[in-house]
Every structure is written in C-alpha cells, then in structure tokens.
Amino acid sequence: HKYQREIPHGFLSALFIDFDEIVKKYGNDYAIALITAVYNHHLREDTFSDDEFYDAVKFDLRPQFTKYTSQYGNISDCSVMATNIRHVCIRNDGIGRYISEELWCKYVVIKGLLNKMDYYASACNDQYVEIPADHNGKYLSDYILAKFGNNLREVQKYMFDNKDKSLVVTASTGIGKTEGALLWLDSSKGFYTLPLKVSINAIYKRILEEYSIGEEKYPPEKVGLLHSDALSYLLDNKEDDRDDDSFLFTKYRKAKMFSHPITLCTADQIFRFVFKHIGDEIIPATLKYSKVIIDEIQMYSPQTV
C-alpha cells in the first residue's frame, strides 16, 4: 500500500474529531479552531500531504479499529476522517490560508489551555497548571498593605482603588509605583515586566524580603522569576535551607510554564507571541486571565513598543 511514512500522533489526533457535530454545537469557527489546536498540540515538522492522511486512515487506523473494538469497526469512508485535515487553518508546511484575528484568538485560547493540560498530564503535578495565589488566605497585596498600613501614598491608593481598570500611570522615581502596581494586581494572576534583568532581580528580592504579615513573609514558591539568567540567579542567591538545587530547578520549570501567581520577567518572555509562532499559544491563553504590568516603558525603543 502507499502508506509508508509514520505520521506523528498529534496530527492524526485531529482526524478523530467529529467536525460536523462540533459545528452544530459551537459554530464553524470553534470547530476549525479546535481541530487546528489538536493538530498542532505538539510542535512537529509537517510535510504530509492530504493523500498521506487518507492512506493512514485507510491502511492503518481503520484496520486497528476493526481489530480492537467493534464500536468503531464500521468506519468505511476514510475520506470523512481525512477531510478534517482540510479544516486545519495553520500548518507549518506552508499549507494554510489567511485567517481572521477573531479566529486566531479562538485558536490560541484552545491551543494554549490544551498545552497547559498536556504539561499537567505529563508532570502529574497540578502546580504546573496554576499555583494558587493565596497563602493562608492572604494575597501579596495583603502583605504590602500590612507593611504600609494606612500610610499609602496617593498613587498607591489610586492604583489599589482602580484595580478593576486598565491604567497608565506616570510618576516620579521613588513615589511608590512598584508597590502601587503590586496592589493593583491584588488577587489576580500577574506578570511584572521590566527591560533590565538586574531590576527584575531587585524587585524579586524585594517581594521576598520586605513584605510580611507579622513574622510571616510571602512564600518564594508563589513568585516566579523568568529571564535568560534567572536560573543562575536563583542558584547563586538561595533564600533559605529549602532552596536546594532540586527545588530551584522545579521553581524555574514552573516559571517557564507560567504557573506562578506572579511572574517577574523581561518583556521578550511573554510578548514574543505577537509573531504568532506555532508553540507560543500558551502565552496569550494565560494572559487572557492575567494582569500585565509594563514598568519603565520609556526605556524601550519606539520600534520595540
């Protein structure tokens, strides 16, 4: 038979979706987005033709169904399954079509959350999905409020009172914007971006050392650090005896999975998704339910902004 090359399971998984049923329930765009997300849920080189998918169904999948289960043994029309490939709107072999921004947004949310679940299933650790933001029922904002009490500065109070809004804040150096931004995050998942790694490290250290409720500090396992030298910094600046290498390597992996309630990072770690590269969908999917702080924006070039 003509079926010669092994096709990765990620591509074949898209064949098992009942496209017409999804269209009936959720509409054509969501059906296309779902099939495309499943098709791309692993990043693999894609050089397969429609005929190869047809042959894979005819000569491999259908016989396997017939052999192992009667439930699916009546599949006779190979083209029905193989037709799903024609609905995939993003492929890395150059086969595809222009898609609207609206369809792309549906796709990245499904694909990004699928990847999160896939990482969880592989790691068997739900904290690779999301680490809870609270510690003993208190959030980072509570720790900051405990430090300042009723002495919040005007900008800090303004940001805390308007935490349900998007804000653009300009203020002098030393006026308290950092604490104001962290108060603005409140209980939400957040990303704090800065252009310089040394500044990120300083705020990371500040969060772990300066904010406390009584003797209790906000725990380091709740705060992620993500930049090109983050792992080296963590290994060179251990906070306490718990910070053995295994703990820090795990912490860094969780940061790369965007699992922490607050992640301190350079802008390139999260905003690279604007290039719409296959494999980066987990970032916009996570940002969809997160707050983002862009600090020191004047330090970026206009082109970068």
Side-chain angles (χ1 to χ4, degrees):
H1 58 75
K2 294 186 294 181
Y3 178 51
Q4 308 230 343
R5 293 198 296 166
E6 180 178 344
I7 301 177
H9 85 270
F11 299 144
L12 294 177
S13 297
L15 302 179
F16 294 88
I17 297 172
D18 189 332
F19 183 81
D20 292 336
E21 187 66 21
I22 300 297
V23 169
K24 286 180 191 175
K25 289 185 176 181
Y26 304 106
N28 193 68
D29 277 4
Y30 274 112
I32 291 173
L34 176 62
I35 280 185
T36 304
V38 172
Y39 186 86
N40 289 314
H41 80 275
H42 289 305
L43 190 57
R44 300 286 186 268
E45 185 179 7
D46 180 5
T47 58
F48 301 98
S49 67
D50 289 355
D51 286 342
E52 285 181 282
F53 283 107
Y54 179 90
D55 291 340
V57 174
K58 181 177 181 180
F59 296 114
D60 187 8
L61 298 181
R62 187 175 63 174
Q64 295 293 339
F65 278 146
T66 305
K67 179 178 179 181
Y68 288 108
T69 175
S70 60
Q71 184 179 357
Y72 299 105
N74 60 353
I75 292 180
S76 58
D77 187 355
C78 305
S79 62
V80 172
M81 294 177 71
T83 297
N84 278 1
I85 301 304
R86 297 172 193 168
H87 297 299
V88 175
C89 61
I90 300 171
R91 293 177 64 178
N92 65 22
D93 62 353
I95 299 174
R97 63 178 185 272
Y98 169 80
I99 65 171
S100 67
E101 193 75 6
E102 184 179 4
L103 177 56
W104 182 80
C105 287
K106 289 183 172 71
Y107 156 72
V108 294
V109 172
I110 295 171
K111 168 63 160 48
L113 293 178
L114 175 61
N115 283 149
K116 267 186 173 282
M117 297 306 108
D118 203 21
Y119 293 141
Y120 161 65
S122 298
C124 295
N125 186 335
D126 59 359
Q127 291 202 352
Y128 278 100
V129 183
E130 290 295 346
I131 298 171
D134 68 295
H135 178 63
N136 294 334
K138 301 291 185 180
Y139 297 93
L140 178 58
S141 57
D142 294 308
Y143 285 76
I144 295 172
L145 289 171
K147 176 182 178 179
F148 287 94
N150 297 321
N151 298 316
L152 289 181
R153 295 178 179 177
E154 186 177 351
V155 68
Q156 295 167 339
K157 187 174 186 309
Y158 175 81
M159 296 176 79
F160 186 57
D161 290 343
N162 290 276
K163 54 181 176 279
D164 59 333
K165 300 180 177 68
S166 295
L167 304 178
V168 177
V169 176
T170 60
S172 305
T173 299
I175 208 71
K177 296 189 300 294
T178 299
E179 280 82 6
L182 294 173
L183 288 170
W184 175 77
L185 284 182
D186 196 32
S187 60
S188 299
K189 183 179 181 68
F191 292 85
Y192 196 120
T193 73
L194 277 157
L196 299 177
K197 291 180 285 188
V198 64
S199 302
I200 294 170
N201 294 341
I203 291 183
Y204 175 78
K205 187 175 181 181
R206 187 161 154 190
I207 289 174
L208 298 186
E209 292 182 357
E210 293 189 13
Y211 309 131
S212 61
I213 298 176
E215 297 297 320
E216 184 181 72
K217 295 181 179 179
Y218 195 66
E221 57 265 29
K222 302 283 186 178
V223 187
L225 187 67
L226 191 59
H227 55 68
S228 57
D229 293 323
L231 183 57
S232 296
Y233 176 84
L234 291 172
L235 292 171
D236 291 340
N237 296 272
K238 297 180 179 181
E239 294 296 325
D240 54 42
D241 293 339
R242 290 183 314 156
D243 291 357
D244 58 24
D245 289 357
S246 176
F247 171 82
L248 294 173
F249 274 105
T250 300
K251 179 183 174 79
Y252 180 62
R253 283 197 297 271
K254 290 178 180 178
K256 291 175 71 175
M257 293 297 102
F258 311 109
S259 301
H260 295 92
I262 178 169
T263 300
L264 307 169
C265 60
T266 46
D268 60 287
Q269 296 290 340
I270 58 173
F271 292 125
R272 66 175 189 264
F273 78 85
V274 298
F275 299 108
K276 298 183 179 180
H277 181 264
I278 295 174
D280 279 345
E281 298 89 350
I282 192 172
I283 303 173
T286 304
L287 293 179
K288 183 175 174 67
Y289 55 90
S290 306
K291 288 183 178 180
V292 180
I293 299 165
I294 305 174
D295 200 357
E296 305 290 356
I297 196 170
Q298 76 280 359
M299 295 184 67
Y300 298 102
S301 69
Q303 182 181 15
T304 301
V305 173

